[in-house]
């Protein structure tokens, strides 16, 4: 085991990280920081329920070892996204469209949607599919 | 405690430092790039190693250099970065298309070209697209850098020509020039699906005659392969419907795929031929 110390920004707040280098980011967020919005569906990178933004890019936190995230890394989880205007609008839109059933996949879905908007502010349906294709919903199939 | 927490991971800041770690048996670690293969293997039962050497974001591995006839792509370049590297797209369109089919965006943001090649899965999507360029792999060690032709890089099922003290530095890939490239992946769905079979081709035609042909398939053999017999059949010939039919047949009889959870041998053999036809009909 090797222990790392790092300084990151998580949801805008500076955080001092001390953890085993191989700890999964998902575990660090949920168990050490209490940010339980990111969910563990598969633990193997397939389902997208654990998606968070790392330096603005969506990544699956269940297969990222914390040691690989350098000082200064910015992480945004659903708890941070829901405080942003675009995040709130997305949550509302998901509700109004009846997109939510059990809700387990939704934090990941919203993060991937949120990441798409700066690149493509008014995406047509066809442009939404590829960036959301790494998020699986068990309820809708 | 999750199994990966037990690993002693080193984070060299330079390639030289990484090479020094890998040179000695008692400091050498499993090379860990984006971890999209390794972290999954360790989560699903493969015992993790005692030591790992992280290559993630190592500057020397993340460069792309466009030269007159070829392009050097660092082993640490991610699939997402290839997608954004617009100036190289017209020179290596099959590779760019292949990288865009790896997993989904979350995986492309972490998965690297070097990791895809070194993982050496017969279903690795970028491998056929690398093979058709006729380029080389640059392997670095404390002894220096050597070039291995991509044709000789995959030596057996999940085996590569790199020594334990070597790190893949980059890929040297000749530009396609006037040739036409194509990449087709056949999977269960468009995203997040491991290939049943895939094909890449680089074919140069002038005045209806095939000047050169490079065709590679994945998931039909223990390693990604070039269809050398089909290439020999095509080279120098006029591109006619009967030649296309012959090439399709030869592809079907020359591959020896296996059946596994993703597909049957018959399906793969059949589709191998159809993919060759598809390449020739879209020139
Ligand atoms: C959900 C999911 C979907 C996927 N879908 C696809 C897909 O559609 N197509 C596909 O081809 N793959 C797919 N993969 C596999 C994986 O994403 C790719 O193979 C990726 O390119 C691996 O790169 P990496 O940097 O993450 O490798 P790592 O996991 O870090 O390493 C993989 C192997 O390469 C070695 N290695 C890494 N870098 C070097 C180097 N510079 N020199 C020498 N050895 C090195 C490692 O030691 C290890 O053996 C998928 C994975 C997941 C989790
Ligand atoms: S829990 Fe991370 S992708 Fe499924
Ligand atoms: S709403 Fe249940 S998994 Fe998507």
């Amino acid at each position: 085991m090797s222990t790392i110390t790092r300084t990151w920004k998580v949801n805008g707040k500076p955080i001092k990280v001390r953890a085993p280098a191989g700890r999964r980011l998902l575990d660090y967020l949920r168990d050490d920081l209490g940010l339980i919005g990111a969910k563990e569906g598969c633990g193997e990178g397939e389902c997208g329920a654990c998606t968070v933004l790392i330096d603005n890019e969506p990544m699956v936190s269940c297969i990222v070892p914390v040691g690989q995230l350098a000082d200064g890394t910015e992480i945004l989880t659903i708890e941070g996204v829901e405080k942003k205007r675009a995040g709130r609008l997305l949550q509302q839109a998901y509700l109004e469209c009846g997109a939510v059933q059990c809700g387990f996949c939704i934090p990941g879905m919203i993060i991937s949607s949120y990441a798409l908007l700066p690149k493509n502010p008014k995406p047509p349906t066809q442009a939404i599919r590829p960036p959301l294709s790494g998020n699986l919903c068990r309820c809708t199939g | 405690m999750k199994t990966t927490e037990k690993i002693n991971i080193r984070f060299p800041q330079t390639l030289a430092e990484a090479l020094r770690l890998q040179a000695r048996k008692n400091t050498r670690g499993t090379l860990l790039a984006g971890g999209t293969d390794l972290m999954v293997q360790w989560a699903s039962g493969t015992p993790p190693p005692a030591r790992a050497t992280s290559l993630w974001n190592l500057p020397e591995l993340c460069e792309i250099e466009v030269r007159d006839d070829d392009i050097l792509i660092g082993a640490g370049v991610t699939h997402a970065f290839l997608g954004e590297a617009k100036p190289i797209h017209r020179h290596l369109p099959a590779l760019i298309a292949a990288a865009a089919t790896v997993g989904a965006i979350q995986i492309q943001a972490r998965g690297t070209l070097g990791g895809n090649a070194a993982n050496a899965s017969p279903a690795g999507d970028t491998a056929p697209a690398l093979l058709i360029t006729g380029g080389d792999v640059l392997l670095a060690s404390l002894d220096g850098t050597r070039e291995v032709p991509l044709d000789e890089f995959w030596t057996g099922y999940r085996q590569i020509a790199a020594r334990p003290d070597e790190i893949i530095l980059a890929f040297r890939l000749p530009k396609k020039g006037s040739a036409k490239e194509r990449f087709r992946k056949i999977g269960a769905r468009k995203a997040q699906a491991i290939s049943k079979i895939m094909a890449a081709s680089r074919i140069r035609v002038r005045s209806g005659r095939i000047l050169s042909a490079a065709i590679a398939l994945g998931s039909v053999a223990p390693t990604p392969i070039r269809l050398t017999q089909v290439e020999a059949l095509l080279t120098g010939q006029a591109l006619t419907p009967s030649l296309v039919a012959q090439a399709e047949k030869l592809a079907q009889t020359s591959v020896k795929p296996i059946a596994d959870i993703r597909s049957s041998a018959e399906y793969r053999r059949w589709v191998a031929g159809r993919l060759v036809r598809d390449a020739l009909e879209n020139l």
Side-chain angles (χ1 to χ4, degrees):
Chain A
M1 188 173 109
S2 47
T3 304
I4 50 105
T5 52
R6 302 267 191 276
T7 336
W8 302 338
K9 255 191 188 165
V10 178
N11 296 331
K13 263 197 298 201
I15 301 260
K16 273 232 164 302
V17 180
R18 202 182 146 73
R23 192 158 173 74
R24 306 182 314 164
L25 176 62
L26 177 64
D27 297 325
Y28 187 78
L29 293 172
R30 290 180 58 90
D31 300 344
D32 297 35
L33 298 184
L35 296 170
I36 57 171
K39 303 283 185 263
E40 176 157 10
C42 63
E44 298 185 3
E46 291 265 355
C47 75
C50 65
T51 304
V52 300
L53 295 183
I54 300 179
D55 292 329
N56 295 318
E57 297 300 329
M59 299 187 194
V60 275
S61 61
C62 67
I63 52 174
V64 176
V66 292
Q68 286 191 326
L69 303 183
D71 284 328
T73 298
E74 297 196 11
I75 297 167
L76 204 58
T77 70
I78 189 68
E79 288 88 348
V81 166
E82 71 179 358
K83 294 205 178 80
K84 312 257 181 190
R85 195 176 116 81
R88 274 198 307 273
L89 289 173
L90 276 167
Q91 282 181 325
Q92 196 56 37
Y94 269 69
L95 281 178
E96 282 167 16
C97 295
V100 184
Q101 295 178 65
C102 81
F104 197 80
C105 68
I106 301 296
M109 293 269 183
I110 302 236
I111 299 264
S112 294
S113 313
Y114 181 84
L116 165 67
L117 289 178
K119 294 173 190 156
N120 194 348
K122 283 208 159 74
T125 311
Q126 283 309 323
I128 297 173
R129 286 193 178 132
L132 282 186
S133 63
N135 295 86
L136 308 183
C137 175
R138 277 203 79 173
C139 297
T140 324
Chain B
M1 183 157 97
K2 297 272 170 19
T3 54
T4 57
E5 296 184 12
K6 297 184 192 135
I7 308 172
N8 178 359
I9 311 181
R10 312 290 188 84
F11 298 92
Q13 297 300 304
T14 62
L15 176 65
E17 207 186 315
L19 291 175
R20 273 198 299 276
L21 285 172
Q22 295 308 98
R24 296 193 22 228
K25 262 202 171 133
N26 59 345
T27 53
R28 186 178 296 159
T30 301
L31 296 171
L32 177 65
T36 58
D37 278 309
L38 286 176
M39 290 292 285
V40 173
Q41 289 162 19
W42 296 332
S44 53
T46 307
R51 283 185 303 274
T53 302
S54 175
L55 302 178
W56 180 247
N57 269 345
L58 208 59
E60 293 96 330
L61 260 49
C62 295
E63 287 162 16
I64 295 182
E65 188 190 338
V66 181
R67 309 192 298 188
D68 286 347
D69 300 325
D70 54 22
I71 298 180
L72 284 178
I73 302 182
V77 166
T78 62
H79 303 296
F81 193 74
L82 284 176
E84 281 156 24
K86 291 283 180 325
I88 71 167
H89 286 200
R90 67 193 173 92
H91 301 301
L92 300 165
L95 178 66
I96 300 304
T101 70
V102 173
I105 52 165
Q106 292 99 320
I107 300 300
Q108 289 164 20
R110 289 274 299 168
T112 63
L113 194 56
N116 200 225
N119 190 52
S121 158
D125 280 315
T126 61
L130 291 173
L131 271 177
I132 56 163
T133 66
D136 307 294
V137 184
L138 274 59
L139 299 174
S141 72
L142 279 191
D143 300 339
T145 302
R146 65 180 179 121
E147 290 190 6
V148 174
L150 278 152
D151 278 341
E152 296 164 21
F153 180 69
W154 291 283
T155 53
Y157 180 69
R158 297 218 158 223
Q159 281 176 344
I160 57 173
R163 296 190 313 256
D165 64 326
E166 285 180 318
I167 294 177
I168 304 175
L169 182 62
F171 300 86
R172 189 191 64 77
L173 307 175
K175 298 175 178 173
K176 77 170 181 62
S178 61
K180 181 124 187 205
E181 285 195 353
R182 193 161 171 86
F183 175 82
R184 287 287 303 268
K185 164 170 174 171
I186 312 294
R189 68 189 276 265
K190 270 194 181 156
Q192 217 77 304
I194 305 294
S195 294
K196 295 174 194 284
I197 174 172
M198 67 289 200
S201 54
R202 173 182 281 198
I203 299 171
R204 187 171 288 115
V205 180
R206 200 192 303 142
S207 335
R209 195 166 289 280
I210 298 175
L211 298 183
S212 64
I215 305 177
L217 296 184
S219 283
V220 294
T223 64
I225 53 162
R226 286 272 295 261
L227 293 181
T228 46
Q229 292 178 34
V230 177
E231 293 173 2
L233 168 77
L234 293 169
T235 307
Q237 300 300 308
L239 181 60
T240 60
S242 85
L243 183 72
V244 173
Q246 266 177 285
E248 176 180 358
K249 275 245 158 52
L250 184 57
Q252 283 162 342
T253 49
S254 64
V255 297
K256 295 188 180 57
I258 56 161
D260 63 14
I261 48 163
R262 283 188 292 282
S263 188
S264 67
E266 291 80 359
Y267 178 87
R268 288 192 165 112
R269 189 184 290 281
W270 173 260
V271 178
R274 301 306 284 181
L275 287 172
V276 167
R277 170 176 287 279
D278 172 77
L280 293 168
E281 286 180 345
N282 285 284
L283 286 169

